[in-house]
Amino acid sequence: LAGLAALPATMTIAQQTAAPEEVSLIVKADPPGPVINRNIYGHFAEHLGRCIYEGIWVGEDSPIPNTRGIRNDVVAALKKLNLPVLRWPGGCFADEYHWKNGIGPRSQRPSMINTHWGGVVENNHFGTHEFMDLCEMLGAEPYVCGNVGSGSPEEMMEWVEYLTSDADSPLANLRRKNGRDKPWALHYFGVGNESWGCGGNMRPEFYADNYRRYNTFVKNYPGNRIYRIACGANSEDYNWTEVLMNLAGRQINGLSLHYYTVPSGNWRNKGSATRFTEEEWHATLRRTLRMEEIIAKHSAIMDKTDPQKRIGLVVDEWGIWHDVEPGTNPGFLYQQNTLRDALAAALNFHIFHQHADRVVMANIAQTINVLQAMVLTDKGKMILTPTYHVFEMYKVHQGATRLPLELTTPDYVRGDQRIPLVSASASRDAGGRVHLSLVNTDPGRTAAVSCELRGFAPARVTGRILTAGAMNAHNTFEAPATVQPQPFTGAALDAGRLKVALPA
Ligand code: AHR
């Protein structure tokens, strides 16, 4: 047994003196559950704030070390996550993006106004070739989101031809003229983003027809087969899923879902990323756990017309959405990232694992400098967030077989609200190792987890832990290592059982 990951938080040291809470867990190695699609550990990078520009693209002439304009430090950090898939160019930006403005010599590319995100002028220096170059550097699959809201079927059709055709055709030849001889492999293509909102304010019936129309022109060129992702629901909009499945299900491979955790539950005043009470900590984790019900309900609707689960649920935007950091551009969505964000990420992964039979991809919003980011940059400087460390610790679950669990845990209660004290998820990898991830949600109580390992006899246990001395602990450019994984010595094998002392 290896790779035990634990994610507790402490508020104050003094609060850890109470007797540990007893938690019992059964990990069943036999029979196994479904495979955890590695794309559940996917990412999302939009032309928004400093995600693409500065976060990824600095240009070839930048003093920041780069390879063909893409910064080396960020690529090196992301490579350690085994980043499987990267969604681009948006987001809301996707439905006003016209891809032909982002190819050819950069000095000749037209500019545009990024109306959604700060009204800044976008110079289109990061376009199709640069994105595909980034994906190749990362070893990640590209997931391109096409423009339904303000683009035409012709524009979408031509983009796919430009990317994936090896014919002696005008668009493939244009690609060759721009420096890329062979077509790229492109498997994931989104037909619009948030078409119920920033992507066109459509009703589901109207979008379903538009999806059918646009998707018709997304062609499979020889050697390339596209997995077509339709714009799915906003959080609890179950009617959207029902209508899409009924009117367009036959043409859909993946249906997206967007659900953000807003700590206060109020979009106008979401709450600070770093200054919060224990009530807000609890509320944030509770709202994160709503992902379970939201996925279960959308999945049940999909089951009505797709009981075989042919269509995947693609949670292509998720994460915590805080108020922006004071003094930063409100349109840039720059926020800090604490131990609270790390726990929320881990809880989301446990839910995605639990629904691995339906959830085939998830893309956290967003990779760098925007929302719940992995990496924050300040010009040439770069730090890793607590959420980055969760992605790194949890990468052992990518492509592994989920194992069934039976968990009996007390609750963590604040006022009249309660959430489970401990959350767990386990998988077995191709090498036969079992990975168990545990989250202690309570910043004040230790959990004593007694775990029966049914169907396998572990030879040894090792683990790492991510914790800190405060709920709001985070990494800064001055103190970049405040929250980072440490070896965990609180797990031991005892007469065939695994005993874990999981700190507050
Ligand atoms: O991730 C930020 C924005 O959130 C995306 O552009 C949009 O799709 C969603 O509303």
Side-chain angles (χ1 to χ4, degrees), residues 50 54-55 71 73-78 80-81 274 325 334-338 366-389 473-484:
R50 294 183 298 116
E54 183 185 312
R71 59 191 290 171
D73 53 354
V74 168
V75 167
L78 295 179
K80 292 191 184 132
L81 301 184
T274 54
E325 285 304 303
Y334 176 75
Q335 61 191 42
Q336 250 294 357
N337 192 300
T338 69
Q366 299 192 7
T367 312
I368 303 153
N369 290 333
V370 169
L371 298 178
Q372 193 175 345
M374 310 301 109
V375 167
L376 302 178
T377 65
D378 179 8
K379 302 186 181 68
K381 291 185 274 186
M382 182 196 82
I383 55 172
L384 307 176
T385 65
T387 299
Y388 173 97
H389 293 303
H474 56 279
N475 297 331
T476 64
F477 293 97
E478 295 70 40
T482 304
V483 185
Q484 61 177 355

Side-chain angles (χ1 to χ4, degrees), residues 44 46 48 91-92 117 193-194 258 260 317 321 365-366 371:
F44 170 36
E46 180 169 12
L48 195 179
C92 295
W117 306 121
N193 167 74
E194 295 197 351
H258 289 182
Y260 285 97
E317 290 187 30
W321 195 318
Q366 299 192 7
L371 298 178

Side-chain angles (χ1 to χ4, degrees), residues 274-292:
T274 54
R275 294 180 310 283
F276 51 86
T277 62
E278 191 178 344
E279 267 59 41
E280 290 169 296
W281 161 282
H282 189 276
T284 303
L285 300 186
R286 183 165 49 82
R287 293 200 162 93
T288 296
L289 290 168
R290 282 197 48 69
M291 180 71 93
E292 163 64 37

